[in-house]
Structures are given as structure tokens and as C-alpha cells.
Amino acid sequence: MKLLPYERTAFYYETDQMGVVHHSNYIRWMEEARIHMLDQLGLNYQKMEELGIIIPVLSASCEYKIAVHFNDSLQIISHLDHFNGVKFFISYKFIKDGNVHATGKSSHCFLDRSFHPIRLKKLFPDIYETFQTSISSEE
Amino acid sequence: MKLLPYERTAFYYETDQMGVVHHSNYIRWMEEARIHMLDQLGLNYQKMEELGIIIPVLSASCEYKIAVHFNDSLQIISHLDHFNGVKFFISYKFIKDGNVHATGKSSHCFLDRSFHPIRLKKLFPDIYETFQTSISSEE
Amino acid sequence: MKLLPYERTAFYYETDQMGVVHHSNYIRWMEEARIHMLDQLGLNYQKMEELGIIIPVLSASCEYKIAVHFNDSLQIISHLDHFNGVKFFISYKFIKDGNVHATGKSSHCFLDRSFHPIRLKKLFPDIYETFQTSISSEE
Amino acid sequence: MKLLPYERTAFYYETDQMGVVHHSNYIRWMEEARIHMLDQLGLNYQKMEELGIIIPVLSASCEYKIAVHFNDSLQIISHLDHFNGVKFFISYKFIKDGNVHATGKSSHCFLDRSFHPIRLKKLFPDIYETFQTSISSEE
């Protein structure tokens, strides 16, 4: 399955006095791109939350290579790297005009509304299957 | 009762490429100052939320007079202007070295967890009284 | 001239623990919508900054009517209300499914890179004209 | 030299609809803590920028262990891990009541106002020395 990249233009308020987009915003863009990507896989974030599945971030990282400026339009490509039933791992590329401006990674788990880990396979087998299938088709 | 002003130093990430603090952050600082002020009056925001009182913003406005820069330290003085049992109104002054850099206003109401208006006087008479008393002593 | 409204979907990180979009983000969305609107009028923000025209916010206000939730898609309509050669005034409507969720206003002036007011009519007559014409055609 | 940890209380607008502080804000808190720490070492960020030294972020990462809630007060301890004349590396611990809620890392370089790398040792020997000495005394 071919996923659409996430398109994003940098907002004015995302810049800082260095004249470039502040590095913290890339972590936010990763969330936007991740939610957009999962939605295309049939894993709608809002619906999962409504089912009581909370998906916190366990780790996030970003390597900044070329600065991004106000009004720059980027493609953010997220890739579901790995899923072991308990956690999943995503990597990101921030691309403008064919150049990689940054790369990122994040990892996530599944909690219930009381912030306790849930066994996805048992409680939400459909969602578990979709994650499994998405990984297989991506690898 | 003499309230302490809210002290705040501008963070780097709050600046934009104009080289000054982005105007949207003043609205956030108003929230910080408001919560700090209400806490001193005995109206702890966190406790009110735990009791099921949600206090949304009905309106917010800010007039920007002198720019604020990274690392500038401000005093933000909030004043509980009015309370009619259903809504309350706060005004703000952003002061640095005796100069007013900005002024603001906000209004708020009281909702329950389902976002329905609550009658504070009936359900939480203590909190109602504290608001009433705070207004009287301020005026 | 018919301007396209600004389309915006609420991001996850724009919500707060009340479960709705935090009110400060509306001020940021107003900036996004304003820049989008001015661009359509031929007043590209980035180009104006490159010419040395800095356009700070003199005032901003928002009235919150119906909460906006994560993933809600809004149309933000900005209207150039008034221009007197020195300042301009914009009003905003946040619309979802035909309902007005919020309204806003902002005012702005023109400064040079040293933050001194500039006489637009004299220094940048083309930009002055475009503002003038835009107001006339809107009114 | 004993450095003071950076004290920070979580703001309301830093929470998201999960009811905890959004993960992107930890990256911002790392910046606050870093600037606070460097200032104690005699490396005032604002002064360095005024001298024309721009210090961008090359990489940033965070591991989230225990959620942080609105109004929680944290100590953020930053440690200057390494400096090789061209880059420096900082690690962070987010501590509340003796528990590590998160850990982070960031790396940075030195640029001039045109975003070209600068040789700190040659151009700003005092600042170079301060970095060197700070590392030695920390290790």
C-alpha cells in the first residue's frame, strides 16, 4: 500500500529569533505526520482514543540537518518500522525539494484510560491485525 | 489582601523571527498569571477541576504596547474585576521596569465535566463566597 | 474578488486537559488565516518582510462560542475591515458545519527593521495601493 | 562548581487531552534548563547571541518514563557531557520527588549570523576556555 506523505507549511509563529523554525516544532510535526499516516493504515487516532486506547510517546528524537524557514513546504514521510504487540516504532524524514532537512524517530505503547498497559491482541484483535499487516506490507 | 504579582522571564522558544516574543504567548502568560492569582485567593485551579469545575475562557484580548524580548523579566498583575455568579472578568498588566508593555482582559464561566453551566452558588457555596469576597476586597 | 477561506484541522498537541483546543491556539490560527488571506490579495507576508516591512500585532482578541476538538476541520474566514495608511484591522470567523465557533479581531501597523513606523504610501506605494484596493473591493 | 537545578512547574496550556503534559514540551523545557545551566557556567546565551554566536540544536531526544501533570513541580538537571571545540553535548534528567520522570539529550554547534560554522577557539577564546573548564570540572 502506497501512503501519501504528510504535507506541511511552516507557520510564522513556529519560527524563533534565530529566523528558523524552532526545533521543538519538529517533534509536533512528527505527531501530525504520524496521525496522518496511521489514519491511512486504518488506524484512526481519534477512533482508537474513543475505544479507550491511549497511545503515549515513550521516546522521541530528531536530528536537524538543514534549517526550515517560515513558509517552507515540507513533505514528512513516516514509516511504521516495527510492532511487537506491545510497542511500535516510527521513523520520519523531513524532505524539501528532494533534500532531507531532518530525520526523526519515536516509539509508543498502548494504555487504557487509567494509563495501564493493554494487551492489544486480546482486547482489540482488529487493531492488532491492522498493525501487524501494516508492518508486513511496509517491510 | 495584597496579592503577589506573577513573575515571568521570556523563554527563547517564545520568540519569533521578528526577534520578539510572539503575541500569542501573552495569552498563555495571562493564563499562568490568572492561575497564580486565583491560587492566592484560595481558588486553586487544580482543586476546582478535581471537584468537577471546568473554567473555560469565554473571551481573551491583549493590547501590545512595547515588545518583550528573550530573557526579559516581567511582572504580570492580574485583577479580578467582576463576578456575577455565572461569569468572572479579569484584567492584566504586563510590566517591566515600571513600563506597561501590554494589557489584557479575559472572561470565564463555570462548567461541569459535561460542559454544562453550573450554578456555583448552589453547588459550591464556599467557592462562590471566595469569589464574592475577593471581588469586594479588590474593589 | 472572492477569497478562499483558510482550512485548518486541529492538531492533537493543540488540545489541553479540558479535552478541547486551548484558547491560545485560536490567536495562532488567526495569524495563519491572516497570512493566507493577505497572500491572496497580493500581499505576501514573506516578501513584505524581505522588503523590510515588519507587521507586528497591535491588538488581538477572540470570543469563544463553541469548543473545537482534536481533528475538527474549520474554515477560518478573515476580512480586511479597515486600512488608514498606518494601521489595518482584520476580523475573523471560525466556522465548522455552518456554525460560528469563535470570532476574532486583530490590528496591525508597519515598521522597518529597526522597529520604527514607516510611511507605507511614500516608501512602498504599490503595497499601499494593494491595501487600499483590497479594502474598497471588500467593503 | 555546584550548579543549581532548573525548577519548573507545568503550565495548564502544556497539557493535552490525555491529561498530561504533551511530550513536545519536554524538548522546550530542555532548552530552558540548558540556558539556565549555561548561564551559571558564565555562558550567557543572550550575550553569546549578541556577540554573533548562534547555537542551534543538532539533535534532541527524550525518553518519557512517568507522566507529568499540570502544576507538577520538577527539577531539571542538565549536565554538559562533552565539548570538542566544535560541538557540545548535554544530558538532562527530569526529577519529581526523587523519581526520574524523563531523561533527554541534545547536541549543539556554533554558527555565525550567516549560519556558517565558527572556530570558537580562535574567535572567542574566552568562551572556548569556559566550555573547556566547565567540562573538566564536571567530569
Side-chain angles (χ1 to χ4, degrees):
Chain A
M1 179 187 171
K2 188 68 192 161
L3 300 177
L4 293 173
Y6 180 66
E7 312 269 352
R8 179 65 147 76
T9 299
F11 300 136
Y12 194 88
Y13 60 78
E14 294 178 320
T15 61
D16 63 22
Q17 70 180 39
M18 233 179 256
V20 299
V21 169
H22 190 268
H23 63 279
S24 62
N25 292 311
Y26 292 62
I27 302 291
R28 298 187 165 188
W29 294 355
M30 281 161 55
E31 181 180 270
E32 295 175 35
R34 177 169 67 246
I35 287 170
H36 178 259
M37 184 267 284
L38 291 175
D39 186 51
Q40 291 180 72
L41 295 174
L43 296 159
N44 184 274
Y45 205 86
Q46 204 175 358
K47 278 180 203 152
M48 290 193 286
E49 274 208 351
E50 280 161 16
L51 290 170
I53 309 171
I54 305 291
I55 305 178
V57 177
L58 294 174
S59 66
S61 64
C62 192
E63 307 248 337
Y64 307 91
K65 295 169 199 302
I66 311 172
V68 175
H69 295 86
F70 164 54
N71 224 17
D72 282 356
S73 287
L74 295 164
Q75 287 199 328
I76 307 173
I77 298 166
S78 5
H79 185 267
L80 188 54
D81 286 338
H82 186 58
F83 169 65
N84 62 13
V86 176
K87 296 181 188 178
F88 64 95
F89 301 81
I90 300 184
S91 58
Y92 309 82
K93 268 188 200 161
F94 297 72
I95 293 172
K96 197 190 122 197
D97 302 333
N99 298 309
V100 177
H101 281 244
T103 59
K105 279 179 185 297
S106 67
S107 62
H108 308 264
C109 65
F110 306 95
L111 304 180
D112 65 19
R113 284 194 186 106
S114 315
F115 279 66
H116 296 122
I118 50 175
R119 292 210 48 219
L120 205 63
K121 192 173 186 175
K122 199 175 159 189
L123 288 174
F124 301 99
D126 290 0
I127 291 171
Y128 176 86
E129 269 313 306
T130 309
F131 265 104
Q132 280 293 24
T133 316
S134 302
I135 288 289
S136 313
S137 68
E138 290 257 311
E139 278 168 349
Chain B
M1 177 185 174
K2 187 68 191 161
L3 300 177
L4 294 172
Y6 179 66
E7 312 270 353
R8 180 65 145 79
T9 300
F11 301 136
Y12 193 89
Y13 60 78
E14 293 179 319
T15 61
D16 63 22
Q17 69 179 38
M18 233 178 255
V20 300
V21 169
H22 191 268
H23 63 280
S24 62
N25 293 310
Y26 293 61
I27 302 291
R28 298 187 165 187
W29 294 354
M30 282 161 56
E31 181 180 270
E32 295 173 35
R34 176 169 68 245
I35 287 171
H36 178 259
M37 183 268 284
L38 290 175
D39 186 51
Q40 291 180 73
L41 295 174
L43 296 159
N44 184 274
Y45 206 86
Q46 202 175 0
K47 277 181 205 153
M48 290 193 286
E49 276 209 350
E50 280 161 16
L51 290 170
I53 310 171
I54 305 291
I55 305 177
V57 176
L58 294 174
S59 67
S61 65
C62 192
E63 308 248 336
Y64 307 91
K65 295 170 200 302
I66 311 172
V68 175
H69 296 86
F70 164 53
N71 224 17
D72 281 357
S73 287
L74 296 164
Q75 287 199 327
I76 307 172
I77 297 165
S78 4
H79 185 266
L80 189 54
D81 287 338
H82 186 58
F83 168 66
N84 63 11
V86 176
K87 295 181 189 179
F88 63 97
F89 301 80
I90 300 185
S91 58
Y92 309 83
K93 267 188 200 163
F94 297 70
I95 294 172
K96 198 192 121 196
D97 303 331
N99 297 310
V100 178
H101 281 244
T103 59
K105 278 179 187 294
S106 67
S107 62
H108 308 265
C109 65
F110 305 95
L111 304 180
D112 64 18
R113 286 196 184 104
S114 314
F115 279 66
H116 297 123
I118 52 174
R119 291 208 49 219
L120 207 63
K121 192 175 187 173
K122 200 176 160 189
L123 289 174
F124 302 98
D126 290 0
I127 291 172
Y128 176 86
E129 269 314 306
T130 308
F131 266 104
Q132 282 291 27
T133 316
S134 303
I135 287 290
S136 315
S137 67
E138 291 258 310
E139 278 168 352
Chain C
M1 178 185 173
K2 188 69 190 159
L3 299 177
L4 294 172
Y6 180 67
E7 311 270 352
R8 180 62 146 80
T9 300
F11 301 136
Y12 194 88
Y13 61 78
E14 293 178 321
T15 62
D16 64 22
Q17 70 178 38
M18 233 179 254
V20 300
V21 169
H22 190 268
H23 64 280
S24 61
N25 293 310
Y26 292 62
I27 303 291
R28 298 185 165 190
W29 294 354
M30 282 160 56
E31 181 181 88
E32 296 175 34
R34 176 169 68 246
I35 286 171
H36 178 259
M37 183 268 282
L38 290 176
D39 186 51
Q40 291 181 73
L41 295 174
L43 297 158
N44 183 274
Y45 205 85
Q46 204 175 359
K47 278 180 203 153
M48 290 193 285
E49 275 209 352
E50 280 161 15
L51 290 170
I53 309 171
I54 305 292
I55 305 177
V57 176
L58 293 174
S59 67
S61 65
C62 192
E63 308 248 336
Y64 307 91
K65 296 170 198 301
I66 311 172
V68 175
H69 295 85
F70 165 54
N71 223 17
D72 281 357
S73 287
L74 295 164
Q75 288 198 328
I76 307 173
I77 297 166
S78 4
H79 185 266
L80 188 54
D81 286 339
H82 186 57
F83 169 65
N84 63 12
V86 176
K87 295 181 188 178
F88 64 96
F89 301 81
I90 301 185
S91 58
Y92 309 83
K93 268 187 198 163
F94 297 71
I95 293 173
K96 198 190 119 194
D97 303 331
N99 297 311
V100 178
H101 282 244
T103 59
K105 278 179 187 297
S106 66
S107 62
H108 308 265
C109 66
F110 305 95
L111 304 181
D112 64 19
R113 285 194 185 107
S114 315
F115 279 67
H116 296 123
I118 51 176
R119 293 210 47 218
L120 206 63
K121 192 174 188 174
K122 200 177 160 190
L123 288 174
F124 302 99
D126 290 1
I127 291 172
Y128 177 86
E129 268 313 307
T130 308
F131 265 104
Q132 280 292 25
T133 316
S134 303
I135 287 291
S136 314
S137 68
E138 291 256 311
E139 275 168 351
Chain D
M1 179 183 171
K2 187 69 191 161
L3 300 177
L4 294 172
Y6 180 66
E7 311 270 352
R8 179 66 147 77
T9 300
F11 301 137
Y12 194 88
Y13 61 77
E14 293 179 319
T15 61
D16 63 23
Q17 70 179 37
M18 233 178 254
V20 299
V21 169
H22 190 269
H23 64 280
S24 62
N25 293 310
Y26 292 61
I27 302 290
R28 298 186 165 189
W29 294 354
M30 282 161 55
E31 182 180 88
E32 295 175 34
R34 177 169 66 247
I35 287 171
H36 179 259
M37 184 268 283
L38 290 175
D39 186 51
Q40 292 181 71
L41 295 174
L43 297 158
N44 183 273
Y45 205 85
Q46 204 174 359
K47 278 179 204 154
M48 290 193 286
E49 276 209 349
E50 280 160 17
L51 290 170
I53 309 172
I54 305 292
I55 305 177
V57 176
L58 294 175
S59 66
S61 64
C62 192
E63 308 248 336
Y64 307 91
K65 295 170 199 303
I66 311 171
V68 175
H69 295 86
F70 164 54
N71 224 16
D72 282 356
S73 288
L74 295 164
Q75 287 199 327
I76 308 173
I77 297 166
S78 3
H79 185 267
L80 188 54
D81 287 339
H82 186 57
F83 169 66
N84 63 12
V86 175
K87 297 181 186 176
F88 64 97
F89 301 81
I90 300 185
S91 58
Y92 308 82
K93 268 188 200 162
F94 297 70
I95 293 172
K96 198 191 121 195
D97 303 332
N99 297 310
V100 178
H101 281 244
T103 58
K105 279 179 186 296
S106 67
S107 62
H108 308 265
C109 65
F110 305 95
L111 304 181
D112 64 19
R113 283 194 186 108
S114 313
F115 279 65
H116 297 122
I118 51 173
R119 293 208 49 218
L120 206 62
K121 193 175 186 174
K122 201 176 158 188
L123 289 174
F124 301 98
D126 289 1
I127 291 172
Y128 176 87
E129 269 314 305
T130 308
F131 265 105
Q132 280 292 27
T133 315
S134 303
I135 288 289
S136 312
S137 68
E138 290 257 310
E139 277 167 352

